[in-house]
Amino acid sequence: MLNALRDTLRDSANSDDDRMGSPLAAVLSHAICHLKRADSTTTNNNEAVTSSSSFGRVVIVAMTVDFGTEHSPLMNLFFSAAKHGICVDVVSLVESSPLLQQAADITGGIFLQVEQPSRLLSSMMTHLLGDPSSRSLFPHPTLKEVDYRASCACHHELVSSGWVCSVCLSVLCQFMPICKACGAIFKVNTLLPRKVQKRKRRE
């Protein structure tokens, strides 16, 4: 069984097919739903109340920086988690991901960079074991700068400025008549303004 699991992970890592692997947005949405369900307790009057001492927390162990077309869904989930008081901690085993940096910064979590996989367990127990309310009492790693550049939906590259789809709010690095993310069609004005020719002065 372990050999089969190892072969599956190796094939998924070496494949360029986006359908292979586990989409992070779907997993994160399930986690948020389960946390909100567990956060509500039922009283004797069958009324749902929220415990003030309860908190939600999600830990993402990242082994890649490329999330393909999941940028927009993940950003929506990060803002939703912050609204519901759910903390998202990130442990990155590869180079730093701007998207996951934003996740930790938006939700008040910790972004932890682990260069050696052998130190993964000790690093998580040291920095992520305590609940978010008591983290201010202990030293923990903080991000000096957070890269808030968006990833374009057409080439999946970070851009500082670009075009935004008015339907799905996806970012495009260049103008396209059809949105790559949702397929929305935009009308293009074919009437170009005429260039005004300056009259030459007679000498």
Side-chain angles (χ1 to χ4, degrees):
M1 181 181 294
L2 292 177
N3 293 332
L5 180 60
R6 187 182 298 109
D7 294 339
T8 302
L9 292 175
R10 186 182 298 111
D11 295 339
S12 177
N14 296 329
S15 176
D16 296 332
D17 191 355
D18 294 337
R19 295 172 296 178
M20 296 188 65
S22 178
L24 181 59
V27 176
L28 186 59
S29 62
H30 277 285
I32 293 176
C33 291
H34 282 292
L35 285 173
K36 290 304 297 179
R37 182 181 300 176
D39 190 42
S40 298
T41 57
T42 306
T43 59
N44 296 330
N45 297 329
N46 293 328
E47 295 179 355
V49 296
T50 303
S51 175
S52 60
S53 60
S54 62
F55 59 90
R57 180 170 48 173
V58 177
V59 180
I60 299 176
V61 180
M63 300 180 64
T64 181
V65 295
D66 185 16
F67 296 97
T69 59
E70 291 190 292
H71 185 273
S72 295
L74 285 174
M75 288 300 298
N76 293 332
L77 288 171
F78 296 152
F79 284 112
S80 178
K83 181 179 179 180
H84 293 289
I86 298 175
C87 175
V88 177
D89 296 325
V90 178
V91 181
S92 179
L93 298 176
V94 290
E95 58 184 279
S96 182
S97 170
L99 179 62
L100 297 181
Q101 286 183 3
Q102 298 173 26
D105 186 61
I106 291 172
T107 61
I110 293 178
F111 184 87
L112 189 61
Q113 188 85 26
V114 180
E115 298 180 355
Q116 298 181 5
S118 59
R119 298 181 179 178
L120 176 62
L121 182 59
S122 60
S123 300
M124 293 179 65
M125 293 184 65
T126 302
H127 300 288
L128 306 181
L129 191 60
D131 60 273
S133 60
S134 62
R135 288 179 179 176
S136 59
L137 304 176
F138 304 95
H140 59 275
T142 57
L143 288 172
K144 296 181 180 179
E145 294 182 357
V146 180
D147 191 355
Y148 267 96
R149 289 181 297 171
S151 175
C152 66
C154 43
H155 301 95
H156 310 302
E157 296 180 355
L158 297 177
V159 293
S160 300
S161 60
W163 300 80
V164 179
C165 175
S166 58
V167 178
C168 65
L169 301 180
S170 296
V171 179
L172 305 173
C173 60
Q174 58 186 357
F175 175 77
M176 294 184 179
I178 301 177
C179 178
K180 283 283 187 178
C182 65
I185 301 176
F186 303 101
K187 294 182 179 180
V188 181
N189 188 8
T190 57
L191 298 177
L192 299 177
R194 296 180 180 179
K195 293 183 179 180
V196 179
Q197 296 181 355
K198 295 182 179 180
R199 296 181 180 180
K200 296 182 179 180
R201 295 182 179 180
R202 295 181 180 179
E203 297 180 356

